[in-house]
Amino acid sequence: MGCTNRCEEKLEKKFPKADEAVDLSLLEPVLEKYAQSPGSLITILQKAQDIYNYLPVEVLKFIAARTGVKPATVYGVATFYTQFRLTPVGKHVILLCQGTACHVNGSENIMTALCDELKIKEGETTPDGMFTLQNVACLGCCSLAPVMMIDGETYGELTPDKARQIIRGISKQEQGA
Amino acid sequence: MKIMVGLGSCGVAAGGNKILSVIKEELKNREAEVKVESTGCIGLCYLEPLVNVVEGDKIYIYGKVTPEMVSEIIDKHVIGKTPVEEYVVSSSDHPASVLQKQVRIALRNCGIINPENIDDYIGRGGYEGIKKAVTSMSQKEVIEEIKASGLRGRGGAGFPTWFKWNATREAPGSPKYVVCNADEGDPGAFMDRSILEGDPHSLLEGMMIAGYAIGAQEGIIYVRAEYPLAIKRLEIAIEQAEARGLLGENLFGSDFNFTIRIKQGAGAFVCGEETALIASLEGERGMPRLKPPFPAQSGYWGKPTNINNVETYANVPWILQHGGAAFARYGTEKSKGTKVFALAGKIKHGGLVEVPMGLSLREVIFDIGGGIKGDREIKAVQMGGPSGGCIPAHLLDTPVDYESITKTGAIMGSGGMIVMDDSTCMVDMARFFLDFTQKESCGKCTYCRLGTKRMLEILNRITEGKGKEEDLEILESLALRVKEGSLCGLGQTAPNPVLTTLRYFRGEYEAHIREKRCPSKHCKALITYVINKEKCRSCGLCAKKCPVSVIEGSKKEPYHIRQDGCMKCGNCKEVCPFGAVEIN
């Protein structure tokens, strides 16, 4: 029977309304290289996310059409792995480590402080699009626990206060810019 | 003379790149021509950023280096030729106490060589192992050497490496594949990352030797996308090995061909399970399947495939070079060789250590790890990550080998060792791990998908002070069923943290349920922050730092916390210089 209309509707709900049309031609070089080699779906999705910052539904449909993989499979893979996002993220992504060492050393309190400072919950983006707050399983910097990573930079030995100061510092820089 | 800056992820996180640029700047100012390079992590993570000054075969390691220290080190040591004793944390003549009991085989080059320079690796005997194998040994002889070494899989299960290799070699079908599982996902374990970042060539060489032994021509490294630096260094290493003719066709003048490529994982803990990893390599959802057939018989694209993790492969070149017997001299009867552990948590000297198997947990934690932060009481050590368990303090004399650790209810796992003191709540720890495995369950088995969810609900309830008397019984029976009813290692081991804490720390569960009390004063729903009037000096710092402004007071009057709005963030306790904020 395939995907019914209702199912299609449900799928659309999971994606935000695109503000601007997605330029699918950006994906051409990637598809040219990988579309025909079996088992490359994850690589294609990774490259697509690098291009668009997230995986818009049009892109998933396009990948399915060009690789011959069923749309449901493409969607299934995209939702299975934590690396893939179906919604855009803010300008600065805060990755708060939830590894065991960080947990033992108080990462929960850092999360409380960050949520309070940014007025968002885990996984959300601030209304101004500046920050996205995400948990990660382990950043592997256990000796510096608790740790968070923002834009590839790692901040260690955090206290709730220090975490707030770091966020304020970035906000200030943004306002100045 | 040359200067090397520790730029593993931990070094970078501690500010290593800044130190590197300061060193370059200072050298330029003094017009001193000294080589500056980067190196991986030597394991002294608690002393990062590290700077090594290398004079011939002597190494001086400077720890916790600040930009201010750099100019002094350059003036006195690099130019003046006298080490700055007070900053040196370890040297080849006087190694730090952390390094003394260690035997470094898998980590033999980490923190010593420049991982981006193949000559550094070759200079330390690199690619001699594969050369020896290809030019003077048969496939069978290589496998015999590995068998003699007693090497067992370092990813956690401890399966004899030679057996897997032999099974893959004998399995019908071609082509055959060598796969490296570099999807290190255990929170708290980072040895594979350190090897990838600090000594990528040893992994390549280990895979080549495996490839030769089993009759494969292609190797694939499945590496976490969360390890960008490791990926970059692997790419460089592969490129350099190819350029030197060490990877490719007709290696060492023989008819042995071998190539290696990298495949990035996309973030799924279950992909550490070999059958799930293969599914992911094939571009599907990483869901495990029933074994047999084992990957050795039917793996990547249904062909015979050998899968080992990074640490296992990294040991292989050393074994070929020095002989299996040399490796087997270390360790115990059934657990030969050395094992790398990641020490973290409430430990003084957090970092990576490699020790001969058979040392006791106490020796690892106290003699090497320096003991507990703030000299507090040790309560337990958690081994094996989410699949492992908590070993209580009274079992600290347990030797570190596969069988002894398994007897305690924990597992060796990939070697994460998280040390916990009396401020860690064991119920919360069990909840923490269950939360992880529940999220990471792929969902294929009902027991794993729903069983872990129900268990987590119970644990949440208990830590929130809403536990019921019958909860412990339900928890235990659910745990045993999830163990039995799950297809793969994730589900089979997910209940371990719960079962071990129930076994050794039942009293803590009971206190939460019966007395609505958290003995470790950790669980937020069961504690209150109060100010000790005797100790308070009315400085007002706590009130200033309180994010919800529920701390009140005035000069000369002790401050107090209004409980109704308190979010229990602990800021006040953290900033109070007099230790007046207490937890009830």
Side-chain angles (χ1 to χ4, degrees):
Chain A
M1 268 192 39
C3 200
T4 62
N5 281 340
R6 207 171 136 253
C7 164
E8 186 91 355
E9 245 169 57
K10 250 178 159 174
L11 194 70
E12 302 288 348
K13 260 190 210 160
K14 294 194 179 172
F15 293 85
K17 283 260 158 55
D19 291 334
E20 50 203 278
V22 178
D23 182 2
L24 293 171
S25 70
L26 295 173
L27 206 55
E28 282 300 342
V30 176
L31 289 168
E32 220 157 87
K33 192 167 171 198
Y34 295 101
Q36 298 313 317
S37 62
S40 292
L41 179 56
I42 293 171
T43 311
I44 296 171
L45 291 173
Q46 282 167 333
K47 305 251 175 207
Q49 183 159 290
D50 283 347
I51 295 171
Y52 302 104
N53 159 30
Y54 73 109
L55 295 172
V57 69
E58 297 90 328
V59 168
L60 292 183
K61 285 179 178 168
F62 187 58
I63 291 172
R66 290 290 298 274
T67 55
V69 178
K70 280 187 207 139
T73 308
V74 175
Y75 181 75
V77 170
T79 51
F80 184 81
Y81 295 98
T82 49
Q83 188 190 12
F84 298 125
R85 311 181 279 264
L86 303 183
T87 51
V89 283
K91 191 169 174 194
H92 305 282
V93 180
I94 305 167
L95 300 173
L96 181 65
C97 182
Q98 298 293 338
T100 323
C102 288
H103 181 77
V104 170
N105 283 309
S107 63
E108 245 171 285
N109 289 339
I110 312 295
M111 181 50 96
T112 314
L114 289 174
C115 289
D116 184 63
E117 181 69 29
L118 297 165
K119 310 276 175 256
I120 51 173
K121 287 197 206 101
E122 197 272 311
E124 292 179 353
T125 303
T126 51
D128 61 358
M130 208 47 88
F131 293 98
T132 299
L133 180 57
Q134 283 177 352
N135 279 334
V136 284
C138 186
L139 291 169
C141 302
C142 307
S143 54
L144 296 170
V147 178
M148 67 176 170
M149 191 188 258
I150 306 176
D151 308 331
E153 180 141 358
T154 314
Y155 302 87
E157 289 170 352
L158 294 176
T159 61
D161 202 38
K162 198 168 154 189
R164 282 174 197 271
Q165 295 305 332
I166 291 164
I167 300 300
R168 281 176 202 165
I170 296 173
S171 297
K172 218 172 189 180
Q173 250 178 11
E174 284 292 340
Q175 280 158 14
Chain B
M1 183 181 272
K2 67 177 171 183
I3 303 176
M4 300 187 94
V5 183
L7 291 180
S9 286
C10 43
V12 173
N17 276 325
K18 182 158 184 229
I19 297 295
L20 179 73
S21 63
V22 174
I23 291 176
K24 284 187 176 160
E25 187 70 35
E26 297 268 337
L27 287 173
K28 209 168 135 198
N29 290 345
R30 290 171 177 73
E31 292 178 352
E33 295 259 337
V34 182
K35 226 173 159 186
V36 185
E37 289 186 340
S38 66
T39 184
C41 170
I42 198 165
L44 302 170
C45 304
Y46 67 104
L47 292 171
E48 297 272 13
L50 296 170
V51 172
N52 303 357
V53 176
V54 187
E55 301 175 48
D57 52 3
K58 278 197 176 170
I59 300 179
Y60 295 85
I61 304 177
Y62 292 96
K64 294 220 176 222
V65 178
T66 60
E68 292 75 44
M69 282 159 70
V70 168
S71 59
E72 205 179 331
I73 294 170
I74 289 178
D75 283 335
K76 289 189 180 155
H77 194 169
V78 180
I79 296 172
K81 308 287 177 211
T82 341
V84 193
E85 294 290 347
E86 66 259 45
Y87 300 152
V88 175
V89 293
S90 180
S91 66
S92 23
D93 294 335
H94 300 283
S97 61
V98 184
L99 296 171
Q100 282 172 15
K101 277 199 177 181
Q102 293 194 39
V103 175
R104 295 165 75 92
I105 294 176
L107 300 179
R108 62 196 177 281
N109 295 321
C110 287
I112 294 169
I113 65 167
N114 178 353
E116 297 183 9
N117 185 347
I118 191 170
D119 286 319
D120 275 22
Y121 181 69
I122 292 172
R124 287 182 50 94
Y127 291 106
E128 287 298 320
I130 178 68
K131 190 176 165 191
K132 184 177 167 189
V134 171
T135 55
S136 68
M137 295 167 86
S138 69
Q139 291 181 320
K140 261 197 162 154
E141 281 169 336
V142 173
I143 292 176
E144 279 305 314
E145 203 63 62
I146 300 297
K147 188 177 180 182
S149 75
L151 178 66
R152 294 168 67 173
R154 297 298 192 238
F159 198 74
T161 303
W162 77 272
F163 193 92
K164 254 190 192 177
W165 288 22
N166 201 42
T168 319
R169 189 180 79 85
E170 286 176 349
S174 92
K176 292 177 180 176
Y177 295 99
V178 172
V179 172
C180 173
N181 179 352
D183 190 49
E184 185 172 59
D186 267 18
F190 49 95
M191 56 283 294
D192 287 353
R193 195 206 62 201
S194 270
I195 295 171
L196 294 169
E197 289 174 357
D199 190 15
H201 286 285
S202 74
L203 168 63
L204 302 187
E205 191 183 350
M207 289 176 73
M208 290 169 76
I209 294 169
Y212 176 73
I214 67 170
Q217 300 199 335
E218 189 179 350
I220 306 155
I221 305 170
Y222 184 88
V223 57
R224 294 182 79 187
E226 290 92 329
Y227 285 176
L229 187 60
I231 293 170
K232 189 185 131 207
R233 295 213 170 131
L234 275 173
E235 281 169 351
I236 293 172
I238 292 172
E239 218 169 89
Q240 289 179 344
E242 281 172 349
R244 289 290 174 96
L246 294 165
L247 268 177
E249 290 182 4
N250 301 107
L251 300 173
F252 306 100
S254 71
D255 55 3
F256 174 55
N257 308 326
F258 201 73
T259 57
I260 294 179
R261 64 187 167 93
I262 299 169
K263 180 100 178 181
Q264 286 188 36
F269 179 66
V270 70
C271 288
E273 180 75 25
E274 37 184 28
T275 53
L277 188 152
I278 289 170
S280 183
L281 275 182
E282 292 171 354
E284 292 172 21
R285 298 178 129 211
M287 287 187 167
R289 60 156 176 79
L290 205 59
K291 293 191 279 192
F294 293 94
Q297 301 151 332
S298 174
Y300 186 47
W301 300 123
K303 302 295 179 190
T305 303
N306 179 72
I307 305 185
N308 289 123
N309 88 326
V310 178
E311 194 188 332
T312 315
Y313 284 125
N315 279 308
V316 169
W318 191 96
I319 292 171
L320 265 271
Q321 217 187 331
H322 298 87
F327 188 79
R329 266 205 293 279
Y330 299 106
T332 64
E333 200 200 328
K334 286 185 178 166
S335 303
K336 303 281 187 207
T338 57
K339 174 81 191 88
V340 184
F341 292 101
L343 291 177
K346 303 279 183 169
I347 191 153
K348 276 187 192 159
H349 301 162
L352 273 192
V353 300
E354 182 170 357
V355 295
M357 298 255 204
L359 241 61
S360 72
L361 285 169
R362 192 183 301 280
E363 283 173 286
V364 176
I365 294 166
F366 287 89
D367 298 354
I368 297 174
I372 312 305
K373 262 187 199 165
D375 289 317
R376 292 179 73 131
E377 196 81 13
I378 182 169
K379 186 191 248 180
V381 51
Q382 211 281 342
M383 279 193 71
S387 322
C390 292
I391 303 172
H394 73 264
L395 292 178
L396 278 184
D397 292 312
T398 307
V400 180
D401 63 60
Y402 289 100
E403 280 74 22
S404 307
I405 297 293
T406 308
K407 253 186 229 159
T408 67
I411 57 163
M412 182 82 88
S414 53
M417 244 189 221
I418 314 281
V419 177
M420 295 159 187
D421 66 9
D422 51 1
S423 68
T424 312
C425 171
M426 302 314 280
V427 186
D428 176 66
M429 274 330 287
R431 185 200 60 77
F432 168 75
F433 284 117
L434 242 288
D435 180 57
F436 179 84
T437 40
Q438 183 266 135
K439 279 181 193 149
E440 293 294 341
S441 168
C442 80
K444 190 167 180 171
C445 312
T446 325
Y447 274 105
C448 179
R449 182 178 69 241
L450 293 176
T452 54
K453 203 171 177 63
R454 294 287 99 87
M455 285 169 73
L456 179 63
E457 282 167 6
I458 296 175
L459 289 165
N460 276 333
R461 199 155 73 210
I462 297 176
T463 52
E464 282 160 12
K466 295 173 193 154
K468 297 177 216 152
E469 197 62 36
E470 64 270 25
D471 277 349
L472 294 189
E473 221 171 284
I474 303 173
L475 202 54
E476 210 154 13
S477 84
L478 260 176
L480 295 171
R481 284 168 195 218
V482 171
K483 239 174 141 67
E484 273 170 27
S486 299
L487 183 70
C488 84
L490 190 146
Q492 286 160 5
T493 59
N496 283 352
V498 175
L499 288 170
T500 51
T501 47
L502 272 174
R503 180 161 150 197
Y504 298 119
F505 301 96
R506 206 177 187 94
E508 282 193 37
Y509 281 89
E510 287 165 353
H512 280 78
I513 294 171
R514 291 180 195 155
E515 301 161 39
K516 309 292 173 213
R517 183 174 68 85
C518 175
S520 315
K521 300 185 175 176
H522 174 91
C523 294
K524 280 197 174 139
L526 304 176
I527 56 166
T528 47
Y529 283 86
V530 289
I531 293 174
N532 183 329
K533 286 182 183 163
E534 314 277 297
K535 289 186 184 165
C536 179
R537 305 275 176 88
S538 317
C539 71
L541 204 56
C542 54
K544 215 170 131 193
K545 291 287 181 188
C546 177
V548 281
S549 310
V550 291
I551 306 184
E552 293 159 346
S554 56
K555 287 267 179 245
K556 291 180 193 162
E557 289 260 322
Y559 277 63
H560 76 276
I561 303 173
R562 263 196 293 124
Q563 295 299 333
D564 53 343
C566 175
M567 61 196 276
K568 299 174 188 176
C569 66
N571 268 7
C572 47
K573 187 171 163 55
E574 195 189 313
V575 296
C576 179
F578 312 108
V581 180
E582 292 170 357
I583 303 175
N584 273 348

